[in-house]
Amino acid sequence: MLGRVKVAVVGGTGFMGDLHAKVVFESDSAELAAIVDLNEELGLKSAEKYRTRYVKNVDELLAENEVDAFIVALPDRLHVDMSVKLLKAGKNVLLEKPMADTLEGARQIAAAEKEGGGRLMVGQLLRFDPRYAQAAKAVRDGDIGDVVHVAAKRYSLRNVGIRMNGRSSVCFYLGIHDVDAMQWVTGKKVKSVFARAVSKVMAENGVKSEDAIFANVEYEDGTIGSLNISWALPDYAGGGISAGLDIVGTKGLLKVDTTDHGLNIQNESGYSLPDGLHWPEVYGLTTGDLKEEVNHFVAAVRDGRPFRITVEEAMRAVAVNDAVLKSVETGAIVEVESV
């Protein structure tokens, strides 16, 4: 494929959709071919901002067959239908995490990729975070020996859970990052989980959702771990995300702490920790992990190279999340289904 890759963003007026549209618009290797969104008013505004066209659904673009790739940035419970349609049409798809909100949905998407001949990459952002990537390399290189135990956490603000208003689980909206990291960084597969949930803050705000889910996990080789995810932090908590990964091995340990990106601002309005890695805006341009993710997708589509995350790996993260929610529901230890 020569020249700039033509990319359409589906769900382009949402928070993540707009970020993706901006990155593509600023890219030297991609052309923002269209904004796709059901909300015509917002879609037209977005198309004007990024100097592209607006379409209400993907059917028009598929009929024209001029778009090379699609970024799907819809809510996770809408991933299956849209991704299946695009992949069956033979299109390349960058799908915002999670791959799906159920393992069955993920399987449908994987089957559509094989049937249509398109290529799928799931946007697990931590794969492009230099801290997590270096941690994975350190484990692969044997710097800490064999992994003994793992602890992952991700805490976010309660306004995130309230904004989602039951449209996603804290497990899939936040925890999918860490479930992927727990398997990718260690190079080991989670075999079973035992999880518990609590709901107080969300219940007080009329939201049918968990505040937090804590889970113990066992890997196939007997390694043990813990996963703690929450969107119950008070909204004044600096930074908005408190996340990390601790791994102890037979010959050493490593610690990833993402709370502080190296800049803190304090004034009469409070204390903040601005994003310095995920999608910070510097001199008016978006940089960081998201830019690296989109540029990797575009370059891999253009050059026919493999994606940094396989479909099987993305499905495996969904399978673990499925088991976590089943454990919460049943109160039992749940085996992770194979993918």
Side-chain angles (χ1 to χ4, degrees):
M1 184 181 294
L2 301 175
R4 288 154 64 98
V5 177
K6 294 182 179 180
V7 180
V9 179
V10 184
T13 68
F15 176 74
M16 290 305 298
D18 182 71
L19 283 171
H20 281 90
K22 186 172 186 292
V23 169
V24 175
F25 174 69
E26 295 168 354
S27 173
D28 293 329
S29 55
E31 174 189 337
L32 183 58
I35 296 291
V36 185
D37 204 282
L38 290 177
N39 189 315
E40 184 173 353
E41 180 181 359
L42 294 179
L44 288 169
K45 287 182 180 179
S46 179
E48 181 180 7
K49 178 170 66 171
Y50 296 124
R51 300 199 291 274
T52 190
R53 65 187 286 198
Y54 162 75
V55 297
K56 198 161 191 174
N57 60 66
V58 299
D59 294 338
E60 182 177 344
L61 299 177
L62 292 177
E64 294 171 354
N65 198 31
E66 294 182 355
V67 174
D68 303 309
F70 290 79
I71 296 176
V72 177
L74 296 170
D76 53 25
R77 291 173 181 169
L78 300 178
H79 284 188
V80 177
D81 289 347
M82 180 58 66
S83 301
V84 166
K85 173 182 282 191
L86 295 172
L87 290 166
K88 282 188 175 181
K91 295 300 180 180
N92 303 293
V93 175
L94 171 56
L95 176 60
E96 248 298 286
K97 61 78 192 168
M99 183 174 175
D101 66 319
T102 65
L103 181 54
E104 177 55 35
R107 285 172 172 153
Q108 291 179 42
I109 294 172
E113 184 199 41
K114 291 181 179 179
E115 178 182 338
R119 297 176 63 204
L120 171 68
M121 174 179 144
V122 177
Q124 293 284 170
L125 194 67
L126 297 188
R127 297 279 180 139
F128 300 87
D129 187 313
R131 299 163 298 188
Y132 283 87
Q134 289 182 75
K137 183 178 185 301
V139 174
R140 299 290 186 279
D141 289 348
D143 292 351
I144 63 169
D146 189 24
V147 176
V148 178
H149 59 81
V150 183
K153 74 166 188 175
R154 186 162 304 268
Y155 301 159
S156 188
L157 303 179
R158 57 190 57 179
N159 68 44
V160 176
I162 293 170
R163 174 169 54 85
M164 292 307 298
N165 196 25
R167 295 192 301 273
S168 182
S169 165
V170 66
C171 189
F172 274 97
Y173 192 80
L174 294 177
I176 195 73
H177 288 294
D178 306 281
V179 168
D180 177 58
M182 289 177 77
Q183 299 186 103
W184 157 55
V185 173
T186 63
K188 300 176 185 290
K189 298 178 183 179
V190 172
K191 181 184 77 170
S192 64
V193 301
F194 177 66
R196 286 290 182 268
V198 61
S199 180
K200 295 181 180 180
V201 175
M202 293 300 116
E204 289 173 357
N205 285 275
V207 176
K208 190 176 180 181
S209 172
E210 322 89 349
D211 294 338
I213 296 177
F214 283 17
N216 292 329
V217 310
E218 182 181 1
Y219 290 83
E220 289 180 340
D221 69 344
T223 299
I224 60 172
S226 65
L227 170 69
N228 297 347
I229 46 179
S230 164
W231 50 26
L233 293 182
D235 291 336
Y236 53 77
I241 288 283
S242 176
L245 179 69
D246 292 350
I247 302 179
V248 173
T250 56
K251 297 179 181 178
L253 59 91
L254 65 81
K255 181 182 183 69
V256 179
D257 183 356
T258 72
T259 303
D260 187 347
H261 290 190
L263 171 65
N264 68 75
I265 300 173
Q266 302 176 52
N267 55 32
E268 61 185 10
S269 300
Y271 172 73
S272 63
L273 298 168
D275 170 32
L277 282 165
H278 298 319
W279 45 74
E281 188 171 288
V282 181
Y283 303 121
L285 301 175
T286 302
T287 186
D289 304 342
L290 184 67
K291 177 182 178 180
E292 292 299 319
E293 177 184 278
V294 172
N295 285 347
H296 166 73
F297 171 73
V298 169
V301 167
R302 181 194 63 208
D303 302 335
R305 291 190 278 110
F307 295 132
R308 199 164 288 172
I309 177 173
T310 67
V311 173
E312 181 184 351
E313 288 172 323
M315 290 179 68
R316 197 182 303 145
V318 175
V320 174
N321 268 15
D322 248 18
V324 168
L325 292 182
K326 288 176 183 175
S327 182
V328 168
E329 181 182 357
T330 63
I333 296 174
V334 174
E335 297 289 319
V336 177
E337 291 189 41
S338 60
V339 299

